[in-house]
């Protein structure tokens, strides 16, 4: 039961001065004066506002007034709450129940952190979290008292305490939401992902044995249950064999952007429709797949915030606005409501610096740290760093007889056939202060540098018909070798590899097997070691990351070949959900 704590009021006693006594006496003597009209009875003072509700409303007002940095969607969500409170004073069918709003917040603050430097400390809701929780749980129907919002969607970058909220909301739905026989689920695409939220909730309870006992909860291998209400909380994944028969009271979906299909979402929607007070609580970061279920749900939230009627949906999106400089700290603060609470500023700055230096990491930073939906395909190389590695004085002749690895990508008609030759040299490594870097045994540490030369081939007909005007210039300057006719003469390529075998210490030739069977057999017959490298994520991801690192650290050197520069600038990098590129 919610009990208001009454404020204590004190009235200071007033001494009667001589002048006051005289005024009082004269009043008694003036019998002709009309007695003062009786004062209207004062209404009893309103009970003090719940502190969590007060914090949430103050946050809304500060956001709308511009005192708290926030993007357009957050401003619209806060304005909607303020407008709804005014609307509820009339004949609207919903009212804001301060007691229910504050009760959910107080429950969450009974739970301890289980991760990071605050592990063991009780949770303290930040102002934006007070806004989200009080809004989601405070609104009810005037006629039935049932909750207004059946779906909640919160999109916020990593590091802003969303995992704790997910686990806490699930426990509230299980043990404190007043629902008999509640079925509560932590839902994700895989069982291991679904058990993250469930596992955090379990650890919270184990760290709070008094709360565990007070709520009458029991932890088993795969579920948390409350015998008094017949309620259970468990993990639910797309991998589960049977989704039928679910009667969902609360479903917590963490990282909806990772759901590649809508299968589990549809299961939850169907299961939650059976209860009058069900709640689907979705909290996620942005992602890359704008054709998936997460972006579909997000689109509905955006339309609602822009004015589309949907009284049963509450949503807020923490991100930056169009036109904001993603490199500026002001944008970082705007997108991260926990910037001054849980965000590790040093780690954040490191990630930002890497994103500035490495093109393939830029969109990942925007997506995970600023909640910007980006295409996973981005330019791969920072071309300023690539250009800094150019040394026009480099000559292949200087590497005669030295170890060499060769990469071969064949083409026959319109595409360039490329042969890349890579050499290496080792130099004494140095510390940041310029002193020699030593190994653990005291011997000098070495740093390996790589030297890259590219030979390109095209049929003459392809050069003449191409829309790339640079081809003719590259052929004239020797960067592109042409062969007669409209089909590439592979004999020219084969002869070049055999010359490399004789001129250098050719260790092996890595090649894409497409169209290369016959040439590979010829070269193997010539004593060349051929290594097949298929264009797969497994084969490409780590080498691409290593090459990026070599360029950024200045340990890859090339001769400024303009054809090679053009090719590198055209490489598009796709990042998958596991960070492979």
């Amino acid at each position: 039961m919610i009990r208001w704590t009454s404020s204590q009021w004190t009235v200071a006693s007033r001494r009667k001065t001589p002048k006051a006594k005289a005024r009082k006496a004269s009043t008694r003597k003036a019998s002709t004066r009309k007695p003062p009209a009786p004062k209207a009875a004062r209404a009893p003072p309103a009970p003090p506002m719940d502190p969590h509700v007060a914090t949430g409303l103050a946050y809304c007002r500060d956001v709308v007034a511009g005192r708290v940095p926030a993007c357009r969607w957050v401003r619209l969500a806060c304005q909607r709450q303020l407008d709804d409170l005014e609307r509820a004073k009339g004949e609207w069918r919903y009212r804001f129940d301060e007691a229910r709003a504050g009760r959910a917040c107080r429950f969450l603050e009974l739970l301890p952190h289980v991760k990071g430097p605050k592990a063991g400390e009780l949770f303290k809701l930040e102002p934006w979290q007070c806004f989200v929780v009080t809004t989601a749980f405070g609104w009810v129907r005037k006629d039935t008292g049932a909750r207004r919002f059946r779906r909640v969607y919160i999109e916020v970058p990593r590091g802003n305490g969303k995992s704790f909220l997910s686990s806490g909301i699930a426990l509230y739905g299980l043990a404190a939401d007043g629902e008999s026989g509640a079925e509560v689920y932590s839902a994700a695409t895989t069982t291991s992902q679904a058990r993250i939220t469930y596992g955090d909730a379990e650890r919270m309870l184990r760290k709070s044995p008094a709360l565990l006992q007070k709520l009458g909860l029991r932890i088993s291998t795969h579920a948390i249950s409350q015998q008094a209400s017949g309620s259970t909380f468990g993990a639910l994944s797309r991998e589960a064999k049977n989704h039928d028969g679910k009667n969902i009271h609360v479903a917590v979906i963490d990282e909806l952007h990772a759901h590649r299909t809508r299968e589990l979402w549809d299961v939850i929607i169907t299961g939650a429709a059976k209860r009058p007070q069900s709640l689907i609580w979705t909290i996620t970061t942005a992602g890359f797949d704008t054709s998936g279920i997460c972006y579909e749900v997000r689109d509905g939230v955006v339309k609602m915030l822009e004015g589309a009627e949907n009284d049963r949906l509450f949503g807020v999106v923490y991100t930056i606005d169009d036109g904001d400089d993603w490199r500026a700290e002001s944008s970082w603060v705007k997108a991260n409501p926990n910037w001054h609470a849980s965000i590790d500023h040093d780690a954040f700055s490191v990630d930002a610096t890497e994103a500035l230096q490495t093109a393939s990491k830029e969109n990942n930073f925007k997506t995970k740290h600023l909640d910007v939906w980006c295409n996973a395909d981005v330019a791969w190389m920072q071309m300023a760093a690539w250009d800094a590695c150019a040394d026009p004085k480099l000559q292949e002749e200087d590497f005669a007889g030295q170890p060499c690895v060769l990469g071969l990508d064949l083409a026959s008609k319109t595409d360039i056939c490329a042969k890349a030759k890579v050499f290496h040299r080792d130099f004494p490594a140095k510390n940041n202060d310029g002193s020699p870097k030593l190994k653990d045994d005291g011997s000098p540490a070495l740093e390996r540098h790589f030297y890259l030369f590219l030979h390109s081939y095209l049929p003459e007909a392809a050069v003449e018909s191409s829309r790339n005007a640079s081809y003719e210039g590259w052929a004239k300057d020797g960067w592109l070798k042409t062969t007669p006719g409209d089909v590439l003469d592979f004999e020219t390529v084969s002869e070049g590899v055999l010359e490399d075998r004789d001129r250098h210490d050719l260790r092996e030739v890595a090649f894409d097997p497409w169209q290369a069977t016959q040439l590979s057999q010829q070269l193997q017959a010539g004593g060349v070691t051929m290594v097949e490298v298929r264009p797969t994520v497994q084969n490409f991801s780590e080498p691409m990351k290593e090459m990026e690192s070599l360029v950024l650290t200045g340990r890859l050197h090339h001769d400024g070949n303009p054809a090679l520069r053009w090719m590198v600038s055209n490489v598009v990098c796709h990042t998958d959900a596991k960070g492979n590129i």
Side-chain angles (χ1 to χ4, degrees), residues 251-268:
V252 172
I253 307 175
D254 197 6
E255 303 297 12
L256 182 61
H257 73 89
H259 291 230
R260 296 186 177 182
T261 69
R262 61 179 305 121
E263 177 184 352
L264 187 60
W265 175 262
D266 290 339
V267 168
I268 293 171

Side-chain angles (χ1 to χ4, degrees), residues 47-61:
M49 181 175 288
D50 179 275
H52 295 98
V53 173
T55 300
L57 288 178
Y59 174 82
C60 287
R61 296 188 183 102

Side-chain angles (χ1 to χ4, degrees), residues 234-406:
L236 178 66
S237 74
R238 189 172 59 87
E239 298 171 346
K241 295 181 179 179
N242 187 6
H243 294 140
D244 296 334
K246 302 299 181 188
N247 193 341
I248 299 172
H249 174 55
V250 173
V252 172
I253 307 175
D254 197 6
E255 303 297 12
L256 182 61
H257 73 89
H259 291 230
R260 296 186 177 182
T261 69
R262 61 179 305 121
E263 177 184 352
L264 187 60
W265 175 262
D266 290 339
V267 168
I268 293 171
I269 294 296
T270 302
K274 303 173 184 177
R275 291 185 185 251
Q277 283 216 111
S278 62
L279 173 65
I280 300 175
W281 178 279
T282 303
I283 190 163
T284 183
T285 57
F288 298 111
D289 184 7
T290 56
S291 64
I293 180 60
C294 186
Y295 201 80
E296 177 185 322
V297 175
R298 181 191 195 272
D299 187 55
V301 171
V302 166
K303 290 178 179 177
M304 175 272 295
L305 292 174
E306 288 180 328
E309 190 71 21
N310 192 339
D311 286 342
R312 311 309 297 275
L313 170 66
F314 169 65
V316 61
V317 176
Y318 284 89
T319 182
I320 59 177
D321 289 308
D322 293 342
D324 286 343
D325 184 357
W326 68 271
R327 300 163 295 184
E329 185 172 321
S330 58
S331 297
W332 306 347
V333 175
K334 177 187 284 188
N336 291 273
N338 257 27
W339 181 258
H340 298 294
S342 64
I343 300 296
D344 185 335
H345 295 183
D346 291 337
F348 198 100
S349 296
V350 169
D351 289 348
T353 300
E354 290 182 351
L356 285 167
Q357 295 176 342
T358 309
S360 63
K361 295 183 179 181
E362 179 181 322
N363 277 6
N364 193 62
F365 175 84
K366 291 179 180 178
T367 299
K368 302 308 177 188
H369 290 301
L370 301 179
D371 204 58
V372 176
W373 285 77
C374 297
N375 192 317
D377 297 335
V378 296
W380 172 51
M381 185 61 67
Q382 288 279 0
M383 295 311 296
W386 175 265
D387 292 339
C389 294
D391 181 1
K393 296 180 180 180
L394 282 180
Q395 300 291 330
E396 281 191 49
E397 291 76 12
D398 296 336
F399 296 87
Q402 296 187 20
C404 174
V405 174
L406 193 149

Side-chain angles (χ1 to χ4, degrees), residues 2 107 140 169 182 211 244 270 282 310 328 422 433 439 560 567:
I2 306 301
F107 178 88
V140 297
I169 294 299
L211 181 63
D244 296 334
T270 302
T282 303
N310 192 339
V422 182
D433 60 2
K439 297 181 181 178
M567 294 174 187

Side-chain angles (χ1 to χ4, degrees), residues 394-396 399 419-421 423 451-455 559:
L394 282 180
Q395 300 291 330
E396 281 191 49
F399 296 87
K419 180 184 71 174
K421 291 159 53 169
F423 304 88
Y451 301 83
L452 172 61
F453 300 92
L454 182 75
H455 293 258
D559 57 2

